[in-house]
Structure formats: structure tokens, C-alpha cells
């Protein structure tokens, strides 16, 4: 992610990479891969190992919402509705293509139709984008409405948000009137993603010299321990809006904010960050294929932990490599 900063008086603005945010994005993407790997191992009976590994990943999705808020409100606010809709298109187009690919691989034709209004099992990991796109539109519309001060309004965006807001009730009414079992409606936005987005805008957009980082790291370790206990003894998986997950997320954001990436690593981190969306979209395929070979066959305890780590690392490497390659081929607009 880049931010616009002035050079000097009269100079054109340049775009400066936020390498700390790039690194956070890469870590969050890898955490999502581990999350879905852990879920397969939990389903295979490795409860304790899977629950503990999942706790390591709970911050990832809230952190993505936080980064979205930082980008939309602090780093690179939209300058017009056309730009906002193009940003949404960069999410929706790969989302639609990957949904079709996953449905062709694992689903049914009914899943393809259902995906228009809600996520489907064949591509369950894309549920997040049904929330992320409305969040992107809400934040962008807020920026444009404040900037224009009532002179004009982003009507296309507001229309899309109206569909997201009222589509669920309309779907329910239509299904009841016609006696049809219509698929669920997932295009919507609850309060917790917006809360993470606003906090992310404030925390990540604050001064670049955050002070000592060790208190944040200590807090993250403590929150992780508490979340692990919470998931093992109370509720699994912990809701993203739950207090243990929120505390862990805020601590992780604080630990990463302003972290200095050595110059020799900045190029690789930038390339991985650019490939992270594509890696997120494709990762379910290697996770599913590799987990099927090991999850049901390894003993509990240490062997299961090692097998899960191996699947997560291999799936992460394959996903980033594929996304980087199709980025080099100029296919990122369609594949992410």
C-alpha cells in the first residue's frame, strides 16, 4: 500500500510505500491459510492442536478490515465516485471468477446462482468479501459526501449500498410470497467491521514513530494466551466481534505499526504484498488437496502439529507463488 506525500514546495506528490502495512498484509494472508488448515485438522479430530493454531490466526480478518479503513480514510481517500467504483471492481471481478472456478471444482450449478447473493460452501472463504465490498463502499461514500459538502452525491454508490442494506429483507419477502427457498443474503455490513476500520484508520494512520514496540508485543502474547484458553474452554471459533479477538487484533496492529523493514527485504515484501489478494483467493485449493493427504492419517499431538504446519507452509508458498506469477502475466485484474 502506498500513501501520497508532498516532496517540497511546488513539487508533485510522490507515493511512499508503507512497508509496515505491506508486511502486516502478508502476515495476515499467511494467517488465513493457517486458519483454514487448522479447520480441516479440527474436523479430522485434532481438536486441541487445531483450536490452538486457529487462535494464532483470529486477528487476520479484523486486521484486513482495519487496513481497509486506513487506506480509505487516511492513506488514499477516493477523489471521485468513478475511482471508488473501480476499487470495488478490483475486488468483485476476481471474486466472481474464483467463485465460478471453485463451484466448477467442488460445487453445483445451484451454488453458482446462490453465490450472487451469498457465499457458498465450495468457496466458503470468500464470505469475507461479501462484507469487505460494502465496507469499501460505505467508507468511500463517507469521504465523498464530506468532501462535496452536499453539492453532489455518489448516487451509484448509494444505490449499491441500498441494495446491500435492503436486499436481505426483499429476498425474504420474495421467497415467502413465491414459496421458494431462496439462497441467503450476505451482501451487508454489521457494526464490527466498521469499528475495526475506524480504529485501523486511527491507529495505522498515527505518527510513524510509535514509541517502544515491546509493550504491544507483550500485550499480543497475553491476548493470544487468553484467546487460546477461550477457544479451548468456551467457544470455537471465537467471533471476530468478541472481546478476546478485538484485544488481540489491536495489540497486533500496534506491534506492526511503524515497524522498520530492512531495505534489502523491502522489494520481496512489496511483491508478496501485491500478491496477497490473489494468494487469499487461491489458497483453499492447495489447503484442501494437501490436508486430504495428512489430516486423517497422522496421530494426535506432535505429529498432527507438524503435519498441520507443513500443510500451512506449503499452501502459503504455493498460493503466493501462483499469485505472483499471474501478476507477472498481467492477469491480476481477473485473478487477484
Amino acid at each position: 500500500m502506498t500513501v501520497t506525500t508532498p516532496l517540497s514546495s511546488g513539487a508533485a506528490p510522490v507515493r511512499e510505500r508503507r512497508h509496515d502495512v505491506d508486511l502486516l498484509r502478508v502476515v495476515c494472508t499467511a494467517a488465513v491459510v493457517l486458519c483454514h488448515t487448522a479447520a480441516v485438522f479440527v474436523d479430522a479430530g485434532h481438536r486441541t492442536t487445531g483450536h490452538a493454531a486457529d487462535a494464532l490466526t483470529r486477528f487476520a480478518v479484523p486486521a484486513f478490515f482495519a487496513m481497509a479503513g486506513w487506506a480509505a480514510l487516511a492513506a488514499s481517500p477516493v477523489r471521485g465516485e468513478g475511482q471508488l467504483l473501480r476499487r470495488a471492481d478490483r475486488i468483485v471481478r476476481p471474486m466472481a471468477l474464483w467463485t465460478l472456478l471453485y463451484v466448477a471444482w467442488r460445487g453445483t450449478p445451484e451454488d453458482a446462482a446462490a453465490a450472487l447473493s451469498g457465499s457458498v460452501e465450495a468457496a466458503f472463504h470468500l464470505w469475507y468479501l461479501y462484507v469487505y465490498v460494502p465496507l469499501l463502499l460505505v467508507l468511500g461514500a463517507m469521504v465523498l459526501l464530506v468532501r462535496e459538502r452536499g453539492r453532489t452525491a455518489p448516487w451509484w454508490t448509494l444505490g449499491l449500498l441500498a441494495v446491500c442494506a435492503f436486499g436481505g429483507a426483499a429476498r425474504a419477502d420474495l421467497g415467502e410470497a413465491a414459496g421458494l427457498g431462496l439462497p441467503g443474503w450476505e451482501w451487508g455490513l454489521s457494526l464490527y467491521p466498521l469499528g475495526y476500520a475506524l480504529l485501523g484508520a486511527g491507529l495505522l494512520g498515527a505518527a510513524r514513530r510509535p514509541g517502544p514496540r515491546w509493550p504491544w508485543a507483550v500485550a499480543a502474547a497475553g491476548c493470544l494466551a487468553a484467546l487460546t484458553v477461550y477457544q479451548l474452554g468456551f467457544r470455537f471459533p471465537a467471533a471476530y466481534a468478541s472481546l478476546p479477538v478485538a484485544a488481540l487484533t489491536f495489540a497486533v496492529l500496534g506491534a506492526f505499526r511503524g515497524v522498520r523493514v530492512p531495505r534489502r527485504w523491502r522489494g520481496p515484501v512489496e511483491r508478496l504484498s501485491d500478491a496477497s489478494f490473489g494468494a487469499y483467493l487461491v489458497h483453499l485449493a492447495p489447503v484442501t488437496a494437501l490436508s486430504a493427504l495428512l489430516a486423517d492419517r497422522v496421530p494426535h499431538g506432535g505429529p498432527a502439529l507438524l503435519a498441520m504446519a507443513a500443510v500451512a507452509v506449503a499452501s502459503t508458498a504455493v498460493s503466493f507463488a501462483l499469485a505472483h506469477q499471474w501478476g507477472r502475466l498481467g492477469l491480476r485484474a481477473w485473478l487477484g
Side-chain angles (χ1 to χ4, degrees), residues 21-283:
V21 179
D22 282 337
L23 181 62
L24 177 61
R25 186 178 294 109
V26 174
V27 170
C28 288
T29 304
V32 169
V33 179
L34 176 59
C35 175
H36 293 141
T37 303
V40 177
F41 276 75
V42 169
D43 291 341
H46 303 286
R47 178 181 177 273
T48 301
T49 303
H51 285 205
D54 180 88
L56 284 168
T57 75
R58 284 286 105 187
F59 69 89
V61 167
F64 278 128
F65 290 138
M67 286 184 281
W70 166 76
L73 300 177
S76 185
V78 292
R79 296 179 297 277
E81 186 177 31
Q83 184 187 27
L84 174 58
L85 295 177
R86 286 192 296 273
R87 288 185 180 182
D89 177 67
R90 289 201 295 267
I91 304 296
V92 173
R93 201 186 323 180
M95 174 187 178
L97 179 58
W98 279 104
T99 298
L100 291 175
L101 291 174
Y102 278 110
V103 167
W105 174 35
R106 306 171 59 197
T108 66
E110 290 76 15
D111 286 334
L116 293 174
S117 62
S119 59
V120 293
E121 180 59 27
F124 67 86
H125 66 304
L126 301 185
W127 73 267
Y128 156 76
L129 299 179
Y130 289 86
V131 179
Y132 187 90
V133 172
L135 175 63
L136 187 71
L137 295 177
V138 165
L139 296 174
M142 289 167 53
V143 169
L144 294 176
L145 288 170
V146 171
R147 177 174 293 166
E148 293 298 327
R149 300 178 183 274
R151 292 187 294 270
T152 184
W155 292 114
W156 284 102
T157 301
L158 296 178
L160 290 173
L161 288 173
V163 171
C164 293
F166 307 122
R171 179 211 60 81
D173 292 342
L174 179 61
E176 184 174 351
L180 299 174
L182 297 179
W185 184 264
E186 301 295 334
W187 295 100
L189 180 63
S190 59
L191 190 58
Y192 85 87
L194 185 58
Y196 281 122
L198 295 176
L199 181 128
L203 188 57
L204 295 175
R208 293 295 300 277
R209 297 183 180 274
R213 188 164 288 105
W214 66 265
W216 292 103
V218 170
C223 291
L224 177 60
L227 178 58
T228 301
V229 172
Y230 178 86
Q231 293 208 141
L232 286 171
F234 185 63
R235 179 173 295 152
F236 177 83
Y240 290 123
S242 66
L243 289 178
V245 173
L248 175 62
T249 301
F250 300 158
V252 170
L253 291 174
F256 272 88
R257 177 173 62 96
V259 68
R260 181 172 178 81
V261 177
R263 186 171 299 277
R264 65 180 179 278
W265 292 108
R266 291 178 184 177
V269 169
E270 289 177 10
R271 290 189 289 273
L272 289 172
S273 178
D274 292 340
S276 61
F277 183 44
Y280 164 80
L281 292 169
V282 73
H283 81 271

